[in-house]
Amino acid sequence: MQKYKLYINGEWVESGETFTRVNPANPKEVTGEFQQGNEEDIDKAVEAAENAFERWSEVPPPKRGQVLLKVAQLLREDKEDLARLETIEMGKVIIEARGDVQEAIDIAEYMAGEGRRLFGFTTTSELRDKFCMTIRRPIGVVGLITPWNFPIAIPAWKIIPALICGNTTVFKPSSDTPLCAIRLVEILEKAGVPKGVVNLVTGPGSAAGMHLVRHKKVRAISFTGHRDTGELILKEAGLKRVGLELGGKNGIIIMDDADLELALDGVIWGGFGTTGQRCTAASRVIVHEKIKEKFEKLLVERINKLKLGSGLDPSVDIGPLVNKAAQEKSQKYVQIGLDEGAKLSCGGKIPKMEGFFFEPTLFTNCSIDMKIAQDEIFGPVVSLISVKDFEEAIKVMNSIKYGLSSSIYTNNIRNAFKAIEKIEAGITYINASTIGAEIHLPFGGIKDSGNGTREGGQTGIEEFSEIKTVYIDYSGKLQRAQIDVE
Ligand code: NAD
């Protein structure tokens, strides 16, 4: 079995304790032995990042962009290998794993171009002979903590904008996907990212992750993961800047005037893509009562055709869940749904297969207060709620603590625009499923899905840079704002 290392100050080093990870489609296959990074490793990584900061932040941003363009090129060359690795490490089907790598390529290309922008703005002054502008400055050492469900794309969404803005980084990936993190860092190294600028510490969130969060020399934390972990991080981070991208309980509204085939495609893709393990997964279907029966019947037919298996097999629709705990969680929620009185229309069981599989599951006759309609299950379990009209659909849509993604299928343009206005979510799709973020648009949620930051595109630059306001007085005399204005 191969043993992998931490990456600190440009060296691949050991920590001491190690852990192993298995292929979720075939748990007998161990994917590697990884370092259980600890607080001391985090200290070393932060020190390396601190020492590298001055030099990296002085590299002209277009030159930093050239390094990122090289990253994009190397990712493209390795796309198929990385995608296969991702499927083996966390289970998603190969076509989606390719998409995950493509997202990292896209962000690297976009941010490479940002090296020639990083815009501030100029404006007027209330005083004569005075010039006013803003510029962007790096923040310093930033800590990046990521989940396993997009193990190449999410780290890239953080590391790459952080680098173009001139920051140095300590990256703590999920212990379910350490190998994808290592491969990504190897590519950054090969592209010419100088030593100390990116440091990688694999290991437990509660020790390595939390130490990074509390570290006095870390100026910002960017975290993607579970809502409760995010809340804890916010409490522990002190006065650092904290960006949180958290969970969701995303809904699709299907009105009686919708194109049903299109809506079915959207529910299948949103509800069962990535085995329901996306923060933007559509785990609630809010359907108009007039079409409820027909839609349910068509949906069950479609669900029953979905093929489970290893994500490496291109004919497979649904891969395994990421680990045993996730499988048990889906099973637990099926029992909760039954106890709550929802009707199990299909699925609901652990199939007799090697690996952490779970049958694609549909509950109908759900009501908004049920736990299965409120909690993020993060598995292939969808709840269907029927409503009498558009107003009730919006009410149900907004009846959760989360506010990440949302969707409505309708051919009524007034309802489409009203939905854009009324739905409480960071993202709303019209006649498309809840998933499908593009890298140049803001990504993030409201309510318990985040704390106001957005990643992607220009908002990614905002997350990873400070704004400095500059006043240049060329009058040659003391001029006092608000006082010498007559
Ligand atoms: P998680 O919160 O368990 O773990 C995320 C990361 O945080 C891991 O690296 C983990 O080791 C680390 N961590 C755990 N406890 C920590 C602590 N006390 N201090 C510091 N770090 C700690 O989440 P997960 O199971 O890996 O991911 C699934 C969750 O992520 C879901 O809730 C999903 O909705 C969410 N998610 C959100 C987005 C988004 O952009 N909004 C994207 C993907 C996933």
Side-chain angles (χ1 to χ4, degrees):
M1 190 193 345
Q2 197 167 338
K3 193 170 179 181
Y4 295 92
K5 298 183 179 175
L6 310 176
Y7 185 67
I8 297 176
N9 203 24
E11 307 277 338
W12 291 93
V13 295
E14 291 195 11
S15 168
E17 305 273 299
T18 60
F19 65 98
T20 54
R21 166 78 186 142
V22 298
N23 175 348
N26 173 16
K28 287 189 193 117
E29 181 190 336
V30 178
T31 51
E33 186 181 353
F34 302 94
Q35 304 297 316
Q36 188 105 287
N38 54 33
E39 300 185 351
E40 218 177 294
D41 299 311
I42 290 288
D43 286 341
K44 287 183 196 154
V46 172
E47 195 188 334
E50 205 193 6
N51 292 339
F53 175 70
E54 195 173 336
R55 265 183 102 172
W56 180 246
S57 62
E58 285 173 357
V59 173
K63 284 228 163 359
R64 299 200 289 256
Q66 281 168 13
V67 178
L68 297 184
L69 217 45
K70 182 79 183 163
V71 172
Q73 182 203 327
L74 294 173
L75 283 167
R76 190 169 266 119
E77 283 169 14
D78 283 0
K79 181 172 169 181
E80 192 57 26
D81 284 353
L82 286 167
R84 287 182 70 82
L85 170 73
E86 183 168 331
T87 295
I88 291 167
E89 193 173 41
M90 59 70 68
K92 70 171 65 170
V93 295
I94 187 75
I95 188 174
E96 291 186 31
R98 289 188 194 114
D100 189 57
V101 182
Q102 185 59 46
E103 211 169 309
I105 296 169
D106 294 345
I107 196 88
E109 285 177 348
Y110 178 96
M111 289 296 166
E114 264 312 306
R116 290 193 182 269
R117 286 185 292 268
L118 288 183
F119 292 136
F121 63 85
T122 61
T123 185
T124 58
S125 169
E126 65 187 40
L127 294 162
R128 287 170 198 273
D129 298 331
K130 196 174 170 193
F131 182 82
C132 308
M133 66 178 172
T134 66
I135 58 167
R136 290 199 175 273
R137 298 296 302 148
I139 301 172
V141 177
V142 299
L144 311 173
I145 303 178
T146 57
W148 48 266
N149 63 339
F150 289 86
I152 305 275
I154 291 178
W157 274 58
K158 296 185 188 298
I159 295 172
I160 286 170
L163 294 188
I164 198 67
C165 293
N167 305 288
T168 55
T169 62
V170 177
F171 166 33
K172 208 304 283 170
S174 164
S175 297
D176 283 315
T177 48
L179 195 43
C180 283
I182 287 167
R183 291 287 178 251
L184 178 62
V185 169
E186 283 171 354
I187 283 175
L188 292 160
E189 183 186 28
K190 200 168 158 194
V193 173
K195 71 171 191 170
V197 172
V198 172
N199 301 276
L200 167 70
V201 179
T202 53
S206 51
M210 193 37 94
H211 193 57
L212 185 61
V213 167
R214 292 188 181 129
H215 207 293
K216 291 275 178 281
K217 291 186 172 160
V218 173
R219 297 304 318 149
I221 291 288
S222 178
F223 169 81
T224 299
H226 196 272
R227 177 215 170 278
D228 297 350
T229 318
E231 190 173 36
L232 183 64
I233 285 175
L234 203 55
K235 280 193 193 128
E236 296 293 328
L239 292 177
K240 317 178 164 59
R241 182 190 292 209
V242 179
L244 300 176
E245 301 294 338
L246 309 176
K249 186 74 182 176
N250 314 289
I252 295 184
I253 296 174
I254 301 165
M255 295 300 294
D256 52 342
D257 55 32
D259 176 340
L260 284 199
E261 284 301 320
L262 190 65
L264 277 167
D265 286 344
V267 171
I268 294 287
W269 176 225
F272 304 107
T274 328
T275 323
Q277 301 169 110
R278 288 185 181 227
C279 52
T280 52
S283 47
R284 298 183 302 150
V285 178
I286 302 158
V287 62
H288 195 288
E289 63 186 10
K290 276 195 201 151
I291 53 161
K292 186 231 167 200
E293 243 165 72
K294 183 175 177 196
F295 190 80
E296 182 186 338
K297 184 171 163 288
L298 292 170
L299 183 56
V300 170
E301 277 169 25
R302 289 280 297 269
I303 292 173
N304 286 334
K305 285 191 192 136
L306 294 172
K307 182 175 167 191
L308 270 70
S310 158
L312 291 178
D313 175 349
S315 70
V316 160
D317 301 298
I318 303 191
L321 288 160
V322 68
N323 55 32
K324 185 137 193 67
Q327 191 189 39
E328 285 167 1
K329 187 174 179 192
S330 284
Q331 180 148 62
K332 184 184 98 181
Y333 270 96
V334 166
Q335 192 54 51
I336 290 173
L338 292 170
D339 294 346
E340 284 177 321
K343 176 184 139 204
L344 184 63
S345 291
C346 63
K349 292 192 297 297
I350 293 176
K352 288 193 175 58
M353 295 165 76
E354 285 288 317
F356 308 125
F357 292 94
F358 199 82
E359 289 176 352
T361 300
L362 180 70
F363 274 111
T364 53
N365 301 353
C366 302
S367 56
I368 53 173
D369 52 339
M370 289 179 178
K371 269 177 86 60
I372 52 165
Q374 289 286 329
D375 295 359
E376 186 185 47
I377 301 172
F378 228 53
V381 182
V382 171
S383 301
L384 194 140
I385 304 167
S386 98
V387 290
K388 64 178 184 308
D389 55 21
F390 175 78
E391 280 68 33
E392 192 184 354
I394 296 291
K395 189 171 155 232
V396 171
M397 179 69 101
N398 293 340
S399 68
I400 44 158
K401 65 183 174 191
Y402 295 106
L404 186 52
S405 189
S406 57
S407 149
I408 179 167
Y409 284 80
T410 179
N411 282 313
N412 178 328
I413 189 136
R414 277 182 294 134
N415 282 345
F417 272 87
K418 266 196 246 166
I420 294 170
E421 219 174 86
K422 297 278 177 203
I423 291 175
E424 297 166 359
I427 306 165
T428 295
Y429 292 87
I430 306 295
N431 292 329
S433 194
T434 51
I435 60 188
E438 297 185 33
I439 65 96
H440 55 299
L441 282 110
F443 182 88
I446 62 170
K447 294 158 81 176
D448 278 16
S449 292
N451 66 338
T453 47
R454 293 285 183 276
E455 296 192 335
Q458 196 51 40
T459 44
I461 297 296
E462 282 161 22
E463 183 179 5
F464 290 104
S465 61
E466 295 283 8
I467 286 188
K468 174 174 276 190
T469 307
V470 183
Y471 297 100
I472 303 162
D473 191 322
Y474 53 97
S475 69
K477 60 181 185 205
L478 173 68
Q479 296 202 91
R480 296 169 298 179
Q482 295 88 38
I483 296 168
D484 300 326
V485 286
E486 294 309 318

